[in-house]
Amino acid sequence: MQDEWDVVIVGGGPAGLSAALLLGRARRRVLLCDSGEHRNDRATAMHGFLTREGIAPAEFRRIARAELAAYPGIQVAPVAVTDAEACDAEGGFAVTLAGREAPLRTRRLLLATGLRDELPAIEGLDELYGRDVWHCPYCDGYERRDRPLAVHGAGHEAVRMALEVRGWSHDLVLCTGGSEIPERDRAKLRGLGIALRESPLVALEAAEGRLRGLRFADGSVLPRAGLFLSMPQRQRSELALKLGCTLTSGGLLRTGHDGSTAVKGLYTAGDSSPHLQMAIVAAAQGTMAAFAINADLLRQDLAAERRD
């Protein structure tokens, strides 16, 4: 592996892969580092991605990497990035890879590291997550349309999700775990026929690997075919914060529309920043960030030529 790159991309999901493609076509030397951990690893299919509807996430990545292999400037490395620090006034970084002592140098750094969902402690959830339990109704609601569904979560965000999920099924229950729901929201839910279960959800009951019901602390069991989670998220990687980026009140990275950050030479793309969290949107953000990075490098190259 060479020691100097135009761009190092951290993260091998749709955002990172899309950015690598555009930068490779711009004849940049690109290193894409993929730790092998992806937010949608548990999903059986990706949805809402035109021409790739229903594809397994792993198959999507395989096809994308095969397309990247056509460009000699792109190298994909199955390795985690463990550290990074600014190393010059021009926007360059020293990047440390797992298992490699000497850092690499890159003129620009793109973080496409995504988010990590904080799953609630509910018995049986881990076995069903990605099959009958999800976090995005736009990604998975259609496959359970007109079936008995539930939403689990607290506060306004859970109410908002319940209102969304009602577009796929009117047989819907919001499980609040006893969290406070303002009377205004309660009235809205009642008016739409969305029931409330305030006893804590303690377990998911399954048969033959599929969700059959929700068991609550009061001993009752509610038959359901699908469950959507409104849950906290956190940054999958601490690199952006270490380098000086700041977070929004929702825990997302503050960025410009093109993925630029307040740190010179550092860009982000994908779910870690405040945009709609869908694979096709992440891919578009990767393209936008790559375009901005290449324009940035072109300006730097031109300035260097003028000095010479």
Side-chain angles (χ1 to χ4, degrees):
M1 183 183 296
Q2 64 193 54
D3 293 329
E4 296 189 2
W5 300 86
D6 289 321
V7 186
V8 168
I9 300 172
V10 187
L17 292 164
S18 182
L21 176 61
L22 192 71
L23 289 164
R25 290 183 58 78
R27 305 184 70 184
R28 295 298 179 183
R29 297 165 299 159
V30 181
L31 176 64
L32 174 64
C33 300
D34 186 349
S35 68
E37 294 184 357
H38 310 96
R39 188 183 183 191
N40 63 0
D41 277 340
R42 302 289 295 276
T44 58
M46 282 172 46
H47 294 290
F49 205 119
L50 200 61
T51 78
R52 290 292 182 262
E53 175 61 28
I55 192 171
E59 177 64 6
F60 175 88
R61 292 191 293 270
R62 185 196 67 77
I63 293 172
R65 289 174 181 172
E67 293 176 350
L68 296 183
Y71 298 91
I74 302 173
Q75 182 173 342
V76 178
V79 64
V81 172
T82 59
D83 197 10
E85 60 182 22
C87 64
D88 61 51
E90 299 294 327
F93 294 86
V95 176
T96 303
L97 308 185
R100 180 185 171 101
E101 184 174 348
L104 308 172
R105 292 179 67 90
T106 180
R107 297 175 66 192
R108 296 294 181 269
L109 180 61
L110 173 60
L111 301 181
T113 46
L115 297 171
R116 191 184 304 277
D117 297 303
E118 304 253 336
L119 296 177
I122 298 173
E123 181 184 338
L125 186 148
D126 190 63
E127 293 80 2
L128 293 170
Y129 189 57
R131 176 177 292 185
D132 290 328
V133 181
W134 315 275
H135 67 266
C136 174
Y138 288 92
C139 300
D140 297 291
Y142 187 80
E143 283 65 38
R144 290 296 182 275
R145 61 194 182 279
D146 300 325
R147 303 286 302 280
L149 303 177
V151 171
H152 177 271
H156 177 73
E157 288 302 309
V159 173
R160 180 191 59 78
M161 179 177 280
L163 298 178
E164 287 180 346
V165 173
R166 189 176 180 275
W168 286 275
S169 175
H170 286 193
D171 186 351
L172 182 61
V173 174
L174 173 59
C175 307
T176 68
S179 66
E180 183 176 351
I181 302 293
E183 180 54 37
R184 181 178 178 179
D185 286 337
R186 289 175 178 269
K188 187 180 297 183
L189 294 169
R190 283 196 301 269
L192 293 173
I194 301 173
L196 278 176
R197 282 291 186 105
E198 300 185 77
S199 178
L201 176 58
V202 296
L204 305 184
E205 297 192 348
E208 298 180 349
R210 307 312 299 259
L211 178 66
R212 294 293 182 261
L214 314 181
R215 178 154 45 89
F216 297 90
D218 62 11
S220 64
V221 175
L222 176 69
R224 295 287 99 176
L227 174 65
F228 288 92
L229 302 175
S230 174
M231 56 189 167
Q233 305 164 333
R234 61 183 175 87
Q235 294 290 321
R236 181 174 290 274
S237 169
E238 298 296 321
L239 286 175
L241 296 179
K242 178 184 181 298
L243 291 167
C245 291
T246 58
L247 298 178
T248 68
S249 59
L252 302 173
L253 296 176
R254 295 186 185 277
T255 68
H257 73 279
D258 58 0
S260 57
T261 73
V263 180
K264 184 175 179 59
L266 179 65
Y267 293 77
T268 69
D271 288 352
S272 61
S273 54
H275 301 279
L276 182 63
Q277 294 176 14
M278 295 188 71
I280 196 166
V281 176
Q285 291 171 350
T287 297
M288 292 173 66
F291 186 94
I293 289 170
N294 192 58
D296 193 6
L297 291 175
L298 287 172
R299 288 190 292 268
Q300 184 177 328
D301 293 340
L302 180 59
E305 290 176 10
R306 287 172 175 170
R307 287 195 299 268
D308 292 341

